[in-house]
Amino acid sequence: MYLPYFDTEQWMTDHEGGALYNLTDTCIRPFSLGELLEMDKEGISKDVVLDYGSITGDVRLKKELLSLYTTGSEENITTASGCNQANEMVMLALLENGDRLITYTPGYQSYIDLPKSVGCDVVTLPLYEDNGWQPSLTDLRKAFEQPVKMVILNMPSNPTGVVFNEEYLNELIALCRKENTWILADEVYRDIRQPSLSDLYEKGIATASLSKLFSLAGLRFGWIKGPKEVIDTINCRRDYSIISTGPLVDTLALVALRNKEAILNRSYQRIETSKTIIHEWLKEEKRCTWVEPAGGTVSFLGYHKKTSSAALCEGLQKRYGVFFVPGSAFGYEYHVRLSLTAEADRLKEGLRLFSRYLDEID
Amino acid sequence: MYLPYFDTEQWMTDHEGGALYNLTDTCIRPFSLGELLEMDKEGISKDVVLDYGSITGDVRLKKELLSLYTTGSEENITTASGCNQANEMVMLALLENGDRLITYTPGYQSYIDLPKSVGCDVVTLPLYEDNGWQPSLTDLRKAFEQPVKMVILNMPSNPTGVVFNEEYLNELIALCRKENTWILADEVYRDIRQPSLSDLYEKGIATASLSKLFSLAGLRFGWIKGPKEVIDTINCRRDYSIISTGPLVDTLALVALRNKEAILNRSYQRIETSKTIIHEWLKEEKRCTWVEPAGGTVSFLGYHKKTSSAALCEGLQKRYGVFFVPGSAFGYEYHVRLSLTAEADRLKEGLRLFSRYLDEID
């Protein structure tokens, strides 16, 4: 099953190493194992036995995961090796050759290319920058003139940070309900104070992980929340794949979730500080356009120059060590992914150097 | 992509909980996290930062993995979330709708049903109990009369414990070389003193994990060793799936591999003790047939009774708490999977109770 290179991930892998100012990382400064173990006041992790563990997921863990949602019970949850692998399992479990899907662009490549590898037809609807990266209801209605097996969305979105407005979401759900269409909502960037698609729509399947706002990408822990029939099908597929996420990761994930308030507040503070810095910088920097993200850790910064985004990112990193993922990795030119995760001093200095680089190029 | 229930894994999940005498577990008594950390004399695990880590795998880790093979360099290795997920990645990366494959029966279900889910045609060749579970060269030559994209084998095999003899392997490799056929060798049960297919054949792809002989299933750590072109394709696919195995698991895997001699010797001793106990028991128990496994932790025990294997296993567990996976889960009746992993006293008593149960049934 052919898959092309994953441009964003490949760019990260190839360029992340040498970065002095990483202004594109999707994760707030990750915790160390030591820091995480210090949060484990009950000492539940030290005696973990490294067997397969509870195959469909630790019950205490599922309870904690459910606290991030307003509906559902333990049979509506299963675990995965990160959110990406959760998405892969949902897509491979539910999609068949010939199915027709909707997703959005600019967006994360796997929502297009994984379904294509199964033989699906993927319709991409544009996000409109001049409308705050909101999609259009007209486009949506037109796409629903033919049968749609699944809508894949990412909310908040990578790279735009958009959260679809209520009017759009309501109509999307109404159309899906009428056509019996699944919604796969990648909520890896979700602020848990915002609603989950899985709580709004009975055929909504939400995926997420501890990688982004929880700052624990290294656990490779994700989950899926959705209708019982979907979770059952995925638990069947899991036996052909990861089998379980294992008791080590499950237990450490439980520790993290029991400390979610402190962990998430740290992230929310960083995000607010970053937004303030970016707004300050934009007061002086008139060659860039920016839509403040409604949630998550990433945004999509436009620049008014002729240099392509890949050339700009290569040149900028070489010249000043400032690291962005280019818009081209998301199929969208003259933009870079600007994240809200860097420490304040790094972000300020990185943006200052970026402005200086814009002086130097066409 | 439809997949049926995975009978073996489902049976394990449904029955493992209540077992007093688990005589079918594939793993030697798993280590605890504490025991593993005690092996970390250099203290490399405590400061692990929980970011995505080295995306295509820690270089020190790859070096240790290569020490389990006689050929290859770091570009011939990538990591996975267990051996099962490694197999899934190999199959999804290399197989296309319409490909024709060969595998063996009785065997592990995923070698048949995962390729089928991609739309492949799977030819199953029998393993012959009366020939020590060896396959037949005649069957093989006949299967190669049409094009074969991949041969999937499991050596030592689950559930039979067979290692194909040299004559068979040589002819298999010769046929594959002539037809440009991949061999996917699931070597999760391999005794590292035995050769790896990936060292014998230039299009051989070996998968393995720390789950079985390393007693660390809870790490969910596996790997793939194969030709660079395959590893590159799989690293591309990994970006759509697990992305990385993460620095926590990678570091703990490194600790385990640096202590492989002690860990594996513990396992080899358990296996030898179990074999002695089984041979002793068989001297008195004439209603059973057994081929001593050439490697690994499992074997396939035949019994001469009319009761089906599923009914026998259900009844035996209910009556005496002795837990086997029935042959039916491997598509082969009047057998049970007998593993070599139980503690000596448990194994002796479990076999004694099994004999008593055979007295009681038809």
Side-chain angles (χ1 to χ4, degrees):
Chain A
M1 294 167 65
Y2 171 75
L3 282 170
Y5 274 109
F6 201 129
D7 294 330
T8 307
E9 300 300 335
Q10 197 62 44
W11 191 280
M12 294 291 288
T13 304
D14 291 347
H15 294 81
E16 201 165 19
L20 293 174
Y21 303 90
N22 185 338
L23 304 194
T24 206
D25 196 341
T26 57
C27 310
I28 314 283
R29 185 189 68 74
F31 293 107
S32 70
L33 179 59
E35 285 175 300
L36 183 57
L37 291 176
E38 267 174 40
M39 294 181 208
D40 180 15
K41 301 297 179 205
E42 295 153 308
I44 57 173
S45 48
K46 65 183 178 201
D47 296 325
V48 169
V49 172
L50 298 170
D51 58 11
Y52 284 89
S54 180
I55 298 300
T56 60
D58 185 297
V59 175
R60 298 166 303 170
L61 178 59
K62 288 188 186 180
K63 283 207 167 94
E64 284 293 338
L65 289 170
L66 284 168
S67 75
L68 309 176
Y69 301 90
T70 58
T71 64
S73 66
E74 287 139 46
E75 62 192 13
N76 297 112
I77 293 258
T78 194
T79 62
S81 291
C83 186
N84 224 15
Q85 204 256 340
N87 290 333
E88 183 197 23
M89 284 202 287
V90 175
M91 293 189 233
L92 295 185
L94 297 183
L95 299 178
E96 298 290 345
N97 190 354
D99 284 341
R100 190 167 165 273
L101 271 73
I102 292 175
T103 191
Y104 299 87
T105 182
Y108 198 56
Q109 191 176 338
S110 62
Y111 316 141
I112 297 174
D113 284 324
L114 253 183
K116 276 190 180 171
S117 81
V118 179
C120 300
D121 179 20
V122 183
V123 178
T124 55
L125 303 185
L127 301 177
Y128 293 96
E129 183 170 18
D130 54 10
N131 195 24
W133 297 114
Q134 292 289 333
S136 125
L137 277 173
T138 314
D139 294 344
L140 183 69
R141 289 182 197 122
K142 199 168 153 49
F144 263 93
E145 285 171 6
Q146 292 171 61
V148 182
K149 175 77 167 279
M150 180 185 278
V151 175
I152 305 180
L153 50 83
N154 178 208
M155 229 167 57
S157 133
N158 179 11
T160 66
V162 71
V163 172
F164 295 172
N165 63 40
E166 212 178 306
E167 186 195 0
Y168 187 92
L169 275 180
N170 286 342
E171 175 124 2
L172 172 66
I173 290 169
L175 282 165
C176 288
R177 188 169 281 140
K178 199 171 145 208
E179 300 296 331
N180 208 24
T181 301
W182 300 109
I183 298 180
L184 166 56
D186 179 336
E187 298 178 349
V188 74
Y189 293 102
R190 178 179 157 231
D191 177 334
I192 60 165
R193 299 165 298 190
Q194 295 169 337
S196 165
L197 238 298
S198 70
D199 291 327
L200 299 175
Y201 176 44
E202 63 281 2
K203 292 194 81 174
I205 305 153
T207 57
S209 82
L210 296 183
S211 297
K212 310 300 184 188
L213 292 158
F214 279 89
S215 299
L216 289 163
L219 291 185
R220 312 304 309 117
F221 179 79
W223 64 90
I224 302 164
K225 184 193 163 234
K228 180 180 183 301
E229 65 177 293
V230 172
I231 300 302
D232 288 348
T233 305
I234 286 165
N235 281 339
C236 169
R237 171 161 277 280
R238 264 164 118 249
D239 283 342
Y240 293 84
S241 178
I242 59 171
I243 301 181
S244 71
T245 37
L248 172 63
V249 164
D250 282 7
T251 306
L252 292 173
L254 181 59
V255 170
L257 286 159
R258 285 183 176 169
N259 289 275
K260 63 178 180 288
E261 209 173 304
I263 292 175
L264 292 176
N265 281 340
R266 167 182 176 271
S267 293
Y268 295 147
Q269 278 168 25
R270 169 67 58 86
I271 289 167
E272 288 312 309
T273 306
S274 297
K275 284 181 180 173
T276 307
I277 291 168
I278 295 166
H279 278 300
E280 278 301 309
W281 170 72
L282 284 167
K283 282 182 192 164
E284 305 297 318
E285 180 50 83
K286 297 300 176 195
R287 293 165 297 186
C288 291
T289 52
W290 190 60
V291 176
E292 181 181 311
T297 61
V298 295
S299 65
F300 212 36
L301 181 74
Y303 61 87
H304 299 132
K305 285 279 179 179
K306 286 180 198 156
T307 306
S308 75
S309 59
L312 180 143
C313 289
E314 288 280 5
L316 173 64
Q317 188 165 359
K318 205 167 171 187
R319 180 99 166 96
Y320 293 118
V322 178
F323 174 38
F324 286 123
V325 173
S328 60
F330 299 94
Y332 204 94
E333 262 308 332
Y334 308 114
H335 283 71
V336 295
R337 184 175 70 187
L338 168 62
S339 71
L340 311 175
T341 60
E343 283 174 35
D345 290 352
R346 293 267 133 182
L347 179 59
K348 276 183 203 162
E349 182 63 8
L351 289 173
R352 195 184 67 76
L353 291 166
F354 177 48
S355 284
R356 190 192 284 185
Y357 190 68
L358 290 177
D359 297 339
E360 298 169 11
I361 60 169
D362 287 331
Chain B
M1 295 167 66
Y2 171 75
L3 282 170
Y5 274 108
F6 201 129
D7 294 331
T8 307
E9 301 299 336
Q10 198 62 45
W11 191 280
M12 294 291 287
T13 304
D14 292 346
H15 294 81
E16 202 165 17
L20 293 174
Y21 302 91
N22 185 338
L23 303 195
T24 204
D25 196 341
T26 56
C27 311
I28 313 284
R29 185 189 68 75
F31 292 108
S32 70
L33 179 60
E35 284 175 301
L36 183 57
L37 291 176
E38 266 173 40
M39 294 181 207
D40 179 17
K41 302 295 180 207
E42 296 152 308
I44 57 174
S45 48
K46 66 183 174 196
D47 296 326
V48 168
V49 172
L50 298 171
D51 59 12
Y52 285 88
S54 181
I55 300 298
T56 60
D58 186 297
V59 175
R60 299 168 301 171
L61 178 59
K62 288 187 186 181
K63 282 207 168 91
E64 283 293 339
L65 289 171
L66 283 166
S67 76
L68 309 177
Y69 302 90
T70 58
T71 65
S73 67
E74 285 139 47
E75 62 192 11
N76 298 112
I77 293 258
T78 195
T79 61
S81 291
C83 187
N84 223 16
Q85 204 257 339
N87 290 333
E88 183 197 22
M89 284 203 286
V90 174
M91 293 190 232
L92 295 184
L94 297 182
L95 299 178
E96 299 289 345
N97 190 354
D99 284 340
R100 190 166 164 274
L101 273 72
I102 292 174
T103 191
Y104 298 87
T105 182
Y108 197 56
Q109 190 176 338
S110 62
Y111 317 141
I112 298 174
D113 284 324
L114 252 185
K116 277 190 180 172
S117 81
V118 180
C120 300
D121 179 21
V122 183
V123 178
T124 54
L125 303 185
L127 301 177
Y128 293 95
E129 183 169 19
D130 54 9
N131 194 24
W133 296 113
Q134 292 289 334
S136 126
L137 277 173
T138 314
D139 294 344
L140 182 69
R141 289 182 197 121
K142 199 168 152 51
F144 263 93
E145 285 171 7
Q146 292 172 62
V148 182
K149 175 74 168 281
M150 180 184 279
V151 174
I152 305 179
L153 50 82
N154 178 209
M155 229 168 56
S157 131
N158 178 12
T160 66
V162 72
V163 171
F164 295 171
N165 64 39
E166 213 178 308
E167 186 195 0
Y168 188 90
L169 274 180
N170 287 342
E171 175 123 2
L172 172 66
I173 291 169
L175 281 166
C176 287
R177 188 170 279 140
K178 199 172 144 208
E179 301 295 332
N180 207 26
T181 301
W182 300 109
I183 299 181
L184 166 56
D186 179 336
E187 297 177 350
V188 75
Y189 292 102
R190 179 180 156 229
D191 177 334
I192 61 165
R193 300 166 297 190
Q194 294 170 338
S196 164
L197 239 296
S198 70
D199 291 327
L200 299 175
Y201 176 44
E202 62 282 0
K203 292 195 80 175
I205 305 153
T207 56
S209 82
L210 296 183
S211 298
K212 309 299 184 190
L213 291 158
F214 280 88
S215 300
L216 289 163
L219 292 185
R220 309 306 308 117
F221 179 78
W223 62 90
I224 302 163
K225 186 197 160 226
K228 181 179 181 302
E229 65 178 293
V230 173
I231 300 301
D232 288 349
T233 305
I234 286 165
N235 281 340
C236 169
R237 172 162 278 278
R238 263 164 119 251
D239 284 341
Y240 293 85
S241 177
I242 58 170
I243 299 180
S244 71
T245 37
L248 172 64
V249 164
D250 283 7
T251 306
L252 292 173
L254 181 59
V255 170
L257 286 159
R258 285 182 175 168
N259 289 277
K260 63 177 179 289
E261 211 174 300
I263 293 175
L264 292 176
N265 281 339
R266 167 181 176 272
S267 294
Y268 295 147
Q269 279 168 25
R270 169 66 58 85
I271 289 167
E272 288 313 310
T273 306
S274 298
K275 284 182 181 173
T276 307
I277 291 168
I278 295 166
H279 278 299
E280 278 301 310
W281 170 71
L282 285 166
K283 280 182 193 164
E284 304 297 320
E285 180 50 82
K286 298 299 176 196
R287 293 165 297 187
C288 291
T289 53
W290 191 60
V291 177
E292 181 181 311
T297 60
V298 295
S299 66
F300 212 35
L301 181 74
Y303 60 88
H304 299 132
K305 284 280 180 178
K306 287 181 197 155
T307 306
S308 75
S309 59
L312 179 143
C313 289
E314 288 280 5
L316 174 64
Q317 187 165 356
K318 204 169 171 185
R319 178 99 165 98
Y320 292 119
V322 178
F323 174 38
F324 286 123
V325 174
S328 59
F330 300 93
Y332 204 95
E333 261 309 331
Y334 307 114
H335 283 71
V336 295
R337 184 174 72 185
L338 168 63
S339 71
L340 310 175
T341 60
E343 283 173 37
D345 290 351
R346 293 266 134 183
L347 179 58
K348 275 183 206 163
E349 181 63 8
L351 290 173
R352 193 184 69 76
L353 291 167
F354 177 47
S355 284
R356 188 190 287 183
Y357 190 66
L358 289 177
D359 296 339
E360 298 169 11
I361 60 169
D362 289 331

